[in-house]
């Protein structure tokens, strides 16, 4: 797989995934996926629906448990054991720890509806990381300013537009100070006019050097913001490379056809 | 209308209100705790636990509370291991028997109400909590519990009102709460109408106050579902 030369200088990968396989019943959704993310990498994962890209992302933070394969987060290996013939995490404590280091942004925001935006942001830092509340509030308010919804801190999720909710959800993930951010089609549930505000926040994050894996259908984001594009097809990585390589047309026929659908 | 008699009756009945309230609060409290245990068993993956909970709920919802109360009051003493245990000084008290049977019964209903609340919790909100590293009791305490309780609250307030009225059955195992005292007054005066009307009025007032409190709680806990609050 092609790496950016600048990224190769870092010693530890933020994220390494080796040979992930996942079956749902007889359906083989992931058929051996490997991926490495260095510090500051922004990797766009493209693919038509059913190609396994969301499942891949969910396997990384263990919302789905891969049947095979290995994952390292910031050098820490996720220990798996075999139980009744199934691959399961060895320690639920480690699972919680790993998840607290991975920010996840969902397609449908998944904010906690009974909490205000500010409460949503401090929930993890206060109760999972056990940090002092006052400090967390201060940081949360700074994050809300950053994503442009400081005025909504005492509003409830239902009172926000989709774009505002997704920005709040991104801020909630950032409040955990994650080592890697995972975005699962973050703009797919939004009205077209609200997509831009979310992408702007993601672009700013990328420019700050956040390591990001983004499952998306936003071709412009993939081309302009990410430094690597991965195209998945039928549970495998069909082709991958820098945006320049990928969008120059010198890739697989399947990818050319895929992006052709978007231009059409 | 004999106002002097009604006033006197009211005074006598009001003196029994603390007993009615004690039955109510204790049985709601212990019944609520027990319901949490039952619902935890009911949704457990272990089939022994969940089937036991199903059986419990079926028995206590499916049979008359009065019979349950009689069984506890008249029945427990027939078992030697209870009669000669350290619990007997408590269990022979009518008040304890009444609270016990009220709590056991409401736990069955409340467990089902809570289970309905649990089922209404969005999987996505749980997943969001898991994704930041929450699990186990923390996840229940911070996310699942509060959301489920909000969903369960309307049905739960109905159960609470039912319990206020159910305390009247304790009169039949010789607990002198409002209904029991009312019946004693009737046997002394033969003035059924006035006395029972007074008793009914007391239950209405109690339930009115309790429903107001529940409505206030529901209002406070459902801010997130109301229209956008206007900023000052």
């Amino acid at each position: 797989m092609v790496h950016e030369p600048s990224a190769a200088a870092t010693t530890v990968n933020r994220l390494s995934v080796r040979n992930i396989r996942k079956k749902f019943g007889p359906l083989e959704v992931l058929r051996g996926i490997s991926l490495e993310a260095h510090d500051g990498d922004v990797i766009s994962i493209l693919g038509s629906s059913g190609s396994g890209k969301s499942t891949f992302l969910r396997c990384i933070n263990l919302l789905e448990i891969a049947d095979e394969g290995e994952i390292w987060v910031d050098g820490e290996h996720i220990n798996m054991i075999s139980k009744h013939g199934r691959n399961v995490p060895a320690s639920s404590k480690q699972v919680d720890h790993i998840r607290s280091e991975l920010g996840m942004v969902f397609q449908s925001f998944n904010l906690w509806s009974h909490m205000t935006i500010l409460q949503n942001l401090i929930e993890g830092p206060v109760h999972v990381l056990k940090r002092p509340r006052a400090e967390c509030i201060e940081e949360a308010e700074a994050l809300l300013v950053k994503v442009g919804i400081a005025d909504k801190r005492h509003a409830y999720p239902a009172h926000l537009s989709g774009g505002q909710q997704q920005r709040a959800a991104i801020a909630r993930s950032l409040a955990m100070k994650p080592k890697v951010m995972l975005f699962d089609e973050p703009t797919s549930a939004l009205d077209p006019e609200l997509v831009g505000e979310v992408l702007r926040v993601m672009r700013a994050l990328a420019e700050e050097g956040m390591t990001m894996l983004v499952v998306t259908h936003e071709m412009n984001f993939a081309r302009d913001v990410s430094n690597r594009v991965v195209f998945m097809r039928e549970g495998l990585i069909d082709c991958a490379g820098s945006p320049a390589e990928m969008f120059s047309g010198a890739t697989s026929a399947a990818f050319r056809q895929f992006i052709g659908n978007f231009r059409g | 209308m004999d106002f002097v008699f009604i006033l006197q009756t009211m005074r006598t009945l009001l003196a029994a209100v603390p007993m009615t309230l004690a039955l109510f609060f204790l049985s709601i409290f212990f019944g609520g705790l027990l319901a949490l245990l039952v619902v935890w068993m009911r949704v457990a993956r272990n089939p022994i636990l969940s089937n036991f909970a199903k059986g419990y709920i079926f028995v206590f919802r499916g049979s008359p509370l009065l019979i349950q109360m009689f069984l506890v009051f008249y029945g427990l003493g027939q078992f030697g291991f209870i009669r000669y245990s350290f619990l007997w000084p408590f269990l022979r008290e009518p008040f304890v028997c009444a609270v016990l049977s009220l709590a056991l019964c409401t736990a069955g209903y409340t467990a089902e109400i809570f289970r309905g609340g649990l089922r209404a919790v969005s999987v996505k909100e749980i997943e969001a909590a898991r994704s930041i590293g929450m699990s186990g009791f923390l996840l229940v305490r911070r996310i699942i519990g509060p959301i489920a309780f909000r969903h369960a609250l309307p049905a739960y307030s109905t159960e609470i009102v039912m319990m206020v009225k159910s305390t009247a059955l304790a009169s039949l195992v010789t607990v002198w709460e409002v209904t029991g005292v009312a019946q004693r007054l009737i046997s002394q005066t033969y003035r059924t109408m006035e006395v029972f009307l007074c008793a009914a009025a007391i239950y209405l007032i109690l339930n009115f106050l309790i429903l107001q409190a529940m409505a206030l709680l529901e209002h406070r806990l459902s801010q997130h579902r109301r229209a956008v609050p206007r900023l000052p």
Side-chain angles (χ1 to χ4, degrees), chain A residues 58 61 63 96 99-100 102 104 106 108 110-115 123-124 127-128 156 158-159 172 176, chain B residues 124-135 138 141-143 146-147 150 223-224 226-229:
Chain A
R58 292 168 60 81
N61 74 350
L63 286 175
D96 289 345
R99 283 175 178 161
S100 74
L102 296 170
M104 180 85 171
F106 299 90
S108 47
N110 302 14
L111 292 166
W112 298 303
S113 55
H114 64 300
M115 296 183 185
E123 183 65 22
H127 294 282
V128 177
Y156 288 91
H159 300 154
R172 174 177 67 176
M176 295 292 288
Chain B
K124 292 177 171 179
E125 289 178 57
I126 297 174
E127 211 160 64
R130 285 195 191 286
S131 81
I132 62 160
M134 274 196 189
S135 64
L138 182 66
R141 182 170 67 84
R142 293 297 310 169
I143 306 293
I147 298 175
R150 282 165 169 81
Q223 285 176 26
H224 60 291
R226 281 195 293 278
V228 184

CSV table of all heavy atoms in Angstrom, one decimal, chain A residues 58 61 63 96 99-100 102 104 106 108 110-115 123-124 127-128 156 158-159 172 176, chain B residues 124-135 138 141-143 146-147 150 223-224 226-229:
chain,number,residue,atom,x,y,z
A,58,ARG,N,-16.7,-0.2,12.0
A,58,ARG,CA,-17.3,-0.6,13.3
A,58,ARG,C,-16.4,-1.7,13.9
A,58,ARG,O,-16.5,-1.9,15.1
A,58,ARG,CB,-18.7,-1.1,13.0
A,58,ARG,CG,-19.7,0.1,12.7
A,58,ARG,CD,-21.0,-0.4,12.2
A,58,ARG,NE,-21.7,-1.3,13.2
A,58,ARG,CZ,-22.4,-0.8,14.2
A,58,ARG,NH1,-22.5,0.5,14.4
A,58,ARG,NH2,-23.0,-1.6,15.1
A,61,ASN,N,-13.5,-0.1,16.1
A,61,ASN,CA,-13.7,0.2,17.5
A,61,ASN,C,-14.6,-0.8,18.2
A,61,ASN,O,-15.2,-0.6,19.3
A,61,ASN,CB,-14.3,1.6,17.7
A,61,ASN,CG,-15.8,1.7,17.3
A,61,ASN,OD1,-16.3,0.8,16.7
A,61,ASN,ND2,-16.4,2.8,17.6
A,63,LEU,N,-17.4,-2.2,17.8
A,63,LEU,CA,-18.8,-2.3,17.8
A,63,LEU,C,-19.3,-3.6,17.1
A,63,LEU,O,-20.4,-4.1,17.4
A,63,LEU,CB,-19.5,-1.1,17.2
A,63,LEU,CG,-19.4,0.2,18.0
A,63,LEU,CD1,-19.9,1.4,17.3
A,63,LEU,CD2,-20.1,0.1,19.4
A,96,ASP,N,-13.2,-1.1,26.5
A,96,ASP,CA,-13.6,0.3,26.9
A,96,ASP,C,-12.5,1.3,26.7
A,96,ASP,O,-12.7,2.4,26.2
A,96,ASP,CB,-14.0,0.3,28.3
A,96,ASP,CG,-15.4,-0.5,28.5
A,96,ASP,OD1,-16.0,-0.7,27.5
A,96,ASP,OD2,-15.7,-0.8,29.7
A,99,ARG,N,-11.9,2.0,23.0
A,99,ARG,CA,-13.0,2.8,22.5
A,99,ARG,C,-12.8,4.3,22.9
A,99,ARG,O,-13.2,5.2,22.2
A,99,ARG,CB,-14.3,2.3,22.9
A,99,ARG,CG,-14.7,1.0,22.1
A,99,ARG,CD,-16.0,0.5,22.7
A,99,ARG,NE,-16.5,-0.6,22.0
A,99,ARG,CZ,-17.4,-1.5,22.5
A,99,ARG,NH1,-17.9,-1.3,23.7
A,99,ARG,NH2,-17.8,-2.5,21.7
A,100,SER,N,-12.3,4.5,24.1
A,100,SER,CA,-12.2,5.8,24.6
A,100,SER,C,-11.1,6.6,23.9
A,100,SER,O,-11.1,7.8,23.9
A,100,SER,CB,-11.9,5.8,26.1
A,100,SER,OG,-10.6,5.4,26.4
A,102,LEU,N,-10.7,6.1,20.6
A,102,LEU,CA,-11.2,6.2,19.2
A,102,LEU,C,-12.5,7.0,19.1
A,102,LEU,O,-13.5,6.6,19.8
A,102,LEU,CB,-11.4,4.8,18.6
A,102,LEU,CG,-10.2,3.9,18.4
A,102,LEU,CD1,-10.7,2.5,18.1
A,102,LEU,CD2,-9.3,4.4,17.4
A,104,MET,N,-15.9,8.2,17.5
A,104,MET,CA,-16.7,7.7,16.4
A,104,MET,C,-17.8,8.7,16.1
A,104,MET,O,-18.5,9.1,17.0
A,104,MET,CB,-17.3,6.3,16.9
A,104,MET,CG,-18.2,5.7,15.9
A,104,MET,SD,-17.3,4.7,14.7
A,104,MET,CE,-18.6,3.8,13.8
A,106,PHE,N,-21.3,9.0,13.9
A,106,PHE,CA,-22.2,8.2,13.3
A,106,PHE,C,-23.0,8.9,12.2
A,106,PHE,O,-23.1,10.1,12.3
A,106,PHE,CB,-23.2,7.6,14.3
A,106,PHE,CG,-22.6,6.8,15.4
A,106,PHE,CD1,-22.1,7.4,16.5
A,106,PHE,CD2,-22.4,5.4,15.2
A,106,PHE,CE1,-21.6,6.6,17.5
A,106,PHE,CE2,-21.8,4.6,16.2
A,106,PHE,CZ,-21.4,5.3,17.4
A,108,SER,N,-26.2,8.9,11.8
A,108,SER,CA,-27.4,9.6,12.4
A,108,SER,C,-27.1,10.2,13.7
A,108,SER,O,-28.0,10.3,14.6
A,108,SER,CB,-28.5,8.6,12.5
A,108,SER,OG,-28.0,7.4,13.1
A,110,ASN,N,-26.6,10.2,16.7
A,110,ASN,CA,-26.7,9.4,17.9
A,110,ASN,C,-26.3,10.2,19.2
A,110,ASN,O,-25.7,9.7,20.1
A,110,ASN,CB,-25.7,8.2,17.9
A,110,ASN,CG,-26.1,7.3,16.7
A,110,ASN,OD1,-26.8,7.7,15.8
A,110,ASN,ND2,-25.6,6.1,16.7
A,111,LEU,N,-26.7,11.5,19.2
A,111,LEU,CA,-26.6,12.3,20.5
A,111,LEU,C,-27.5,11.7,21.5
A,111,LEU,O,-28.6,11.1,21.2
A,111,LEU,CB,-26.9,13.7,20.2
A,111,LEU,CG,-25.8,14.5,19.3
A,111,LEU,CD1,-26.4,15.8,18.9
A,111,LEU,CD2,-24.5,14.7,20.1
A,112,TRP,N,-27.2,11.9,22.8
A,112,TRP,CA,-28.1,11.4,23.8
A,112,TRP,C,-29.2,12.5,24.0
A,112,TRP,O,-29.0,13.6,24.4
A,112,TRP,CB,-27.4,11.2,25.1
A,112,TRP,CG,-26.3,10.2,24.9
A,112,TRP,CD1,-26.6,8.9,24.5
A,112,TRP,CD2,-24.9,10.3,25.1
A,112,TRP,NE1,-25.4,8.2,24.4
A,112,TRP,CE2,-24.4,9.0,24.8
A,112,TRP,CE3,-24.1,11.3,25.5
A,112,TRP,CZ2,-23.0,8.8,24.8
A,112,TRP,CZ3,-22.7,11.1,25.5
A,112,TRP,CH2,-22.2,9.8,25.2
A,113,SER,N,-30.4,12.0,23.6
A,113,SER,CA,-31.5,12.9,23.5
A,113,SER,C,-32.0,13.6,24.7
A,113,SER,O,-32.5,14.7,24.7
A,113,SER,CB,-32.7,12.2,22.8
A,113,SER,OG,-33.1,11.1,23.7
A,114,HIS,N,-31.7,13.0,25.9
A,114,HIS,CA,-32.2,13.6,27.2
A,114,HIS,C,-31.2,14.5,27.8
A,114,HIS,O,-31.5,15.1,28.8
A,114,HIS,CB,-32.5,12.5,28.1
A,114,HIS,CG,-31.3,11.6,28.6
A,114,HIS,ND1,-30.6,10.9,27.6
A,114,HIS,CD2,-30.8,11.4,29.7
A,114,HIS,CE1,-29.6,10.3,28.3
A,114,HIS,NE2,-29.7,10.6,29.6
A,115,MET,N,-30.1,14.7,27.1
A,115,MET,CA,-29.1,15.6,27.7
A,115,MET,C,-28.9,16.9,26.8
A,115,MET,O,-29.1,16.8,25.5
A,115,MET,CB,-27.7,14.9,27.7
A,115,MET,CG,-27.7,13.8,28.6
A,115,MET,SD,-26.0,13.1,28.6
A,115,MET,CE,-26.2,11.7,29.6
A,123,GLU,N,-20.1,14.3,29.1
A,123,GLU,CA,-20.5,13.0,29.7
A,123,GLU,C,-19.3,12.0,29.7
A,123,GLU,O,-19.0,11.4,30.7
A,123,GLU,CB,-21.6,12.4,28.8
A,123,GLU,CG,-22.1,11.0,29.3
A,123,GLU,CD,-22.8,11.1,30.7
A,123,GLU,OE1,-23.2,12.2,31.1
A,123,GLU,OE2,-22.9,10.1,31.3
A,124,GLY,N,-18.6,11.9,28.6
A,124,GLY,CA,-17.5,11.0,28.5
A,124,GLY,C,-16.3,11.4,29.3
A,124,GLY,O,-15.8,10.6,30.1
A,127,HIS,N,-17.4,11.0,33.1
A,127,HIS,CA,-17.8,9.7,33.7
A,127,HIS,C,-16.9,8.6,33.2
A,127,HIS,O,-16.8,7.6,33.9
A,127,HIS,CB,-19.2,9.4,33.4
A,127,HIS,CG,-20.2,10.4,34.1
A,127,HIS,ND1,-20.4,10.2,35.5
A,127,HIS,CD2,-20.8,11.5,33.7
A,127,HIS,CE1,-21.2,11.2,35.9
A,127,HIS,NE2,-21.5,12.0,34.8
A,128,VAL,N,-16.3,8.7,32.0
A,128,VAL,CA,-15.4,7.6,31.5
A,128,VAL,C,-14.0,7.9,31.9
A,128,VAL,O,-13.3,7.1,32.5
A,128,VAL,CB,-15.6,7.4,30.0
A,128,VAL,CG1,-14.6,6.3,29.5
A,128,VAL,CG2,-17.0,7.0,29.7
A,156,TYR,N,-31.3,21.1,23.6
A,156,TYR,CA,-31.3,19.7,23.5
A,156,TYR,C,-31.2,19.3,22.0
A,156,TYR,O,-31.5,20.1,21.1
A,156,TYR,CB,-32.6,19.1,24.0
A,156,TYR,CG,-32.7,19.2,25.5
A,156,TYR,CD1,-33.3,20.3,26.2
A,156,TYR,CD2,-32.2,18.2,26.3
A,156,TYR,CE1,-33.3,20.4,27.6
A,156,TYR,CE2,-32.2,18.2,27.7
A,156,TYR,CZ,-32.8,19.4,28.3
A,156,TYR,OH,-32.8,19.4,29.7
A,158,ALA,N,-32.8,17.6,19.9
A,158,ALA,CA,-34.0,17.7,19.1
A,158,ALA,C,-34.2,19.2,18.6
A,158,ALA,O,-35.0,19.4,17.7
A,158,ALA,CB,-35.2,17.2,19.8
A,159,HIS,N,-33.6,20.1,19.3
A,159,HIS,CA,-33.8,21.5,18.9
A,159,HIS,C,-32.8,22.0,17.9
A,159,HIS,O,-32.8,23.2,17.5
A,159,HIS,CB,-33.7,22.4,20.2
A,159,HIS,CG,-34.7,22.0,21.2
A,159,HIS,ND1,-34.6,22.2,22.6
A,159,HIS,CD2,-35.9,21.4,21.1
A,159,HIS,CE1,-35.6,21.8,23.2
A,159,HIS,NE2,-36.5,21.3,22.4
A,172,ARG,N,-18.5,16.1,20.6
A,172,ARG,CA,-18.6,15.1,21.7
A,172,ARG,C,-17.4,14.1,21.6
A,172,ARG,O,-16.8,13.8,22.6
A,172,ARG,CB,-19.9,14.4,21.6
A,172,ARG,CG,-20.0,13.3,22.6
A,172,ARG,CD,-21.4,12.6,22.6
A,172,ARG,NE,-21.6,11.9,21.3
A,172,ARG,CZ,-22.7,11.2,21.1
A,172,ARG,NH1,-23.7,11.1,22.1
A,172,ARG,NH2,-22.9,10.6,20.0
A,176,MET,N,-13.3,13.7,24.1
A,176,MET,CA,-12.5,12.5,24.6
A,176,MET,C,-11.0,12.6,24.3
A,176,MET,O,-10.3,11.7,24.7
A,176,MET,CB,-13.1,11.2,24.1
A,176,MET,CG,-14.5,11.0,24.6
A,176,MET,SD,-14.7,10.7,26.3
A,176,MET,CE,-13.9,9.0,26.5
B,124,LYS,N,-29.1,3.3,19.0
B,124,LYS,CA,-28.1,4.2,18.5
B,124,LYS,C,-27.5,5.0,19.7
B,124,LYS,O,-26.3,5.2,19.7
B,124,LYS,CB,-28.7,5.1,17.5
B,124,LYS,CG,-29.0,4.4,16.2
B,124,LYS,CD,-29.7,5.4,15.3
B,124,LYS,CE,-29.8,4.7,13.9
B,124,LYS,NZ,-30.5,5.5,13.0
B,125,GLU,N,-28.3,5.4,20.7
B,125,GLU,CA,-27.8,6.1,21.8
B,125,GLU,C,-26.9,5.2,22.7
B,125,GLU,O,-25.9,5.7,23.2
B,125,GLU,CB,-28.9,6.7,22.6
B,125,GLU,CG,-29.6,7.9,21.8
B,125,GLU,CD,-30.8,8.5,22.6
B,125,GLU,OE1,-30.6,8.9,23.7
B,125,GLU,OE2,-31.9,8.5,22.0
B,126,ILE,N,-27.3,3.9,22.8
B,126,ILE,CA,-26.5,3.0,23.5
B,126,ILE,C,-25.1,2.8,22.8
B,126,ILE,O,-24.1,2.8,23.4
B,126,ILE,CB,-27.2,1.6,23.7
B,126,ILE,CG1,-28.5,1.8,24.5
B,126,ILE,CG2,-26.3,0.6,24.3
B,126,ILE,CD1,-29.3,0.6,24.6
B,127,GLU,N,-25.2,2.7,21.5
B,127,GLU,CA,-24.0,2.5,20.7
B,127,GLU,C,-23.0,3.7,20.9
B,127,GLU,O,-21.8,3.5,21.0
B,127,GLU,CB,-24.3,2.3,19.2
B,127,GLU,CG,-23.3,1.4,18.5
B,127,GLU,CD,-24.0,0.8,17.3
B,127,GLU,OE1,-24.3,1.6,16.4
B,127,GLU,OE2,-24.1,-0.4,17.2
B,128,ALA,N,-23.6,4.9,20.9
B,128,ALA,CA,-22.8,6.1,21.1
B,128,ALA,C,-22.1,6.0,22.4
B,128,ALA,O,-20.9,6.4,22.5
B,128,ALA,CB,-23.6,7.3,20.9
B,129,ALA,N,-22.8,5.6,23.4
B,129,ALA,CA,-22.2,5.5,24.7
B,129,ALA,C,-21.0,4.4,24.8
B,129,ALA,O,-20.0,4.7,25.3
B,129,ALA,CB,-23.2,5.1,25.8
B,130,ARG,N,-21.3,3.3,24.1
B,130,ARG,CA,-20.3,2.3,24.0
B,130,ARG,C,-19.0,2.8,23.3
B,130,ARG,O,-17.9,2.5,23.7
B,130,ARG,CB,-20.8,1.0,23.3
B,130,ARG,CG,-21.7,0.2,24.1
B,130,ARG,CD,-21.9,-1.2,23.4
B,130,ARG,NE,-23.0,-1.9,24.0
B,130,ARG,CZ,-22.9,-2.5,25.2
B,130,ARG,NH1,-21.8,-2.4,25.9
B,130,ARG,NH2,-24.0,-3.1,25.6
B,131,SER,N,-19.3,3.6,22.3
B,131,SER,CA,-18.2,4.1,21.4
B,131,SER,C,-17.2,5.0,22.2
B,131,SER,O,-16.1,5.2,21.7
B,131,SER,CB,-18.7,4.7,20.1
B,131,SER,OG,-19.1,6.0,20.4
B,132,ILE,N,-17.7,5.6,23.3
B,132,ILE,CA,-16.8,6.4,24.1
B,132,ILE,C,-16.2,5.6,25.2
B,132,ILE,O,-15.5,6.2,26.1
B,132,ILE,CB,-17.4,7.8,24.6
B,132,ILE,CG1,-18.5,7.5,25.5
B,132,ILE,CG2,-17.8,8.6,23.4
B,132,ILE,CD1,-18.9,8.7,26.4
B,133,GLY,N,-16.5,4.4,25.3
B,133,GLY,CA,-15.9,3.5,26.3
B,133,GLY,C,-16.7,3.2,27.5
B,133,GLY,O,-16.3,2.8,28.6
B,134,MET,N,-18.1,3.5,27.4
B,134,MET,CA,-18.9,3.1,28.5
B,134,MET,C,-19.4,1.7,28.4
B,134,MET,O,-19.6,1.2,27.3
B,134,MET,CB,-20.2,4.0,28.5
B,134,MET,CG,-20.1,5.3,29.2
B,134,MET,SD,-21.7,6.0,29.4
B,134,MET,CE,-21.2,7.6,30.0
B,135,SER,N,-19.5,1.0,29.6
B,135,SER,CA,-20.1,-0.3,29.5
B,135,SER,C,-20.6,-0.6,30.9
B,135,SER,O,-20.5,0.2,31.9
B,135,SER,CB,-19.0,-1.3,29.1
B,135,SER,OG,-18.0,-1.4,30.1
B,138,LEU,N,-22.0,1.6,34.5
B,138,LEU,CA,-21.9,3.0,34.1
B,138,LEU,C,-22.9,3.3,33.0
B,138,LEU,O,-23.6,4.3,33.0
B,138,LEU,CB,-20.5,3.3,33.7
B,138,LEU,CG,-20.2,4.8,33.4
B,138,LEU,CD1,-20.4,5.7,34.6
B,138,LEU,CD2,-18.8,4.9,32.8
B,141,ARG,N,-26.4,3.3,34.3
B,141,ARG,CA,-26.7,4.4,35.2
B,141,ARG,C,-26.8,5.7,34.5
B,141,ARG,O,-27.6,6.6,34.8
B,141,ARG,CB,-25.6,4.5,36.3
B,141,ARG,CG,-25.7,5.5,37.3
B,141,ARG,CD,-24.7,5.4,38.4
B,141,ARG,NE,-23.4,5.6,38.0
B,141,ARG,CZ,-22.8,6.8,37.9
B,141,ARG,NH1,-23.5,7.9,38.3
B,141,ARG,NH2,-21.5,6.9,37.5
B,142,ARG,N,-25.9,5.9,33.5
B,142,ARG,CA,-25.8,7.2,32.9
B,142,ARG,C,-26.7,7.4,31.6
B,142,ARG,O,-27.2,8.4,31.3
B,142,ARG,CB,-24.4,7.5,32.5
B,142,ARG,CG,-23.4,7.7,33.6
B,142,ARG,CD,-23.8,8.9,34.5
B,142,ARG,NE,-24.0,10.1,33.7
B,142,ARG,CZ,-24.5,11.2,34.2
B,142,ARG,NH1,-24.9,11.3,35.4
B,142,ARG,NH2,-24.7,12.3,33.4
B,143,ILE,N,-26.9,6.3,30.9
B,143,ILE,CA,-27.6,6.4,29.6
B,143,ILE,C,-28.9,5.6,29.6
B,143,ILE,O,-30.0,6.1,29.4
B,143,ILE,CB,-26.7,6.0,28.4
B,143,ILE,CG1,-25.4,6.8,28.5
B,143,ILE,CG2,-27.4,6.1,27.1
B,143,ILE,CD1,-25.5,8.2,28.2
B,146,PRO,N,-31.6,6.4,32.7
B,146,PRO,CA,-32.4,7.7,32.6
B,146,PRO,C,-33.3,7.7,31.4
B,146,PRO,O,-34.4,8.3,31.5
B,146,PRO,CB,-31.2,8.7,32.4
B,146,PRO,CG,-30.1,8.1,33.1
B,146,PRO,CD,-30.2,6.6,32.8
B,147,ILE,N,-32.9,7.2,30.2
B,147,ILE,CA,-33.8,7.3,29.1
B,147,ILE,C,-35.0,6.3,29.3
B,147,ILE,O,-36.1,6.7,29.0
B,147,ILE,CB,-33.0,6.9,27.8
B,147,ILE,CG1,-31.8,7.9,27.5
B,147,ILE,CG2,-33.9,6.9,26.6
B,147,ILE,CD1,-30.9,7.5,26.4
B,150,ARG,N,-37.6,7.7,31.6
B,150,ARG,CA,-38.4,8.8,31.0
B,150,ARG,C,-39.5,8.1,30.2
B,150,ARG,O,-40.6,8.6,30.2
B,150,ARG,CB,-37.5,9.7,30.1
B,150,ARG,CG,-36.8,10.7,30.9
B,150,ARG,CD,-35.7,11.3,30.1
B,150,ARG,NE,-35.1,12.5,30.7
B,150,ARG,CZ,-34.2,12.4,31.7
B,150,ARG,NH1,-33.7,11.2,32.1
B,150,ARG,NH2,-33.6,13.5,32.2
B,223,GLN,N,-38.1,17.9,29.0
B,223,GLN,CA,-37.7,19.2,28.4
B,223,GLN,C,-37.2,19.0,27.0
B,223,GLN,O,-37.5,19.8,26.1
B,223,GLN,CB,-36.7,19.9,29.2
B,223,GLN,CG,-37.2,20.6,30.4
B,223,GLN,CD,-36.0,21.2,31.2
B,223,GLN,OE1,-35.0,21.6,30.7
B,223,GLN,NE2,-36.2,21.3,32.5
B,224,HIS,N,-36.5,17.9,26.8
B,224,HIS,CA,-35.9,17.6,25.5
B,224,HIS,C,-36.9,17.3,24.4
B,224,HIS,O,-36.5,17.3,23.3
B,224,HIS,CB,-34.9,16.5,25.6
B,224,HIS,CG,-35.5,15.2,26.1
B,224,HIS,ND1,-36.0,15.0,27.3
B,224,HIS,CD2,-35.7,14.1,25.4
B,224,HIS,CE1,-36.4,13.8,27.4
B,224,HIS,NE2,-36.3,13.2,26.3
B,226,ARG,N,-39.9,18.9,24.2
B,226,ARG,CA,-40.8,20.1,24.0
B,226,ARG,C,-40.2,21.0,22.9
B,226,ARG,O,-39.0,20.8,22.5
B,226,ARG,CB,-41.0,20.8,25.2
B,226,ARG,CG,-42.0,20.2,26.1
B,226,ARG,CD,-42.5,21.1,27.2
B,226,ARG,NE,-41.5,21.4,28.1
B,226,ARG,CZ,-41.1,20.7,29.1
B,226,ARG,NH1,-41.7,19.5,29.3
B,226,ARG,NH2,-40.2,21.0,30.0
B,227,ALA,N,-41.0,21.9,22.5
B,227,ALA,CA,-40.5,22.9,21.5
B,227,ALA,C,-39.3,23.7,22.0
B,227,ALA,O,-39.0,23.7,23.1
B,227,ALA,CB,-41.7,23.8,21.1
B,228,VAL,N,-38.6,24.3,21.1
B,228,VAL,CA,-37.4,25.0,21.4
B,228,VAL,C,-37.8,26.1,22.4
B,228,VAL,O,-38.7,26.9,22.3
B,228,VAL,CB,-36.9,25.7,20.1
B,228,VAL,CG1,-35.6,26.4,20.4
B,228,VAL,CG2,-36.7,24.7,19.0
B,229,PRO,N,-37.0,26.1,23.5
B,229,PRO,CA,-37.3,27.1,24.5
B,229,PRO,C,-36.9,28.5,24.0
B,229,PRO,O,-35.9,28.6,23.3
B,229,PRO,CB,-36.4,26.7,25.7
B,229,PRO,CG,-35.3,25.9,25.1
B,229,PRO,CD,-35.9,25.2,23.9
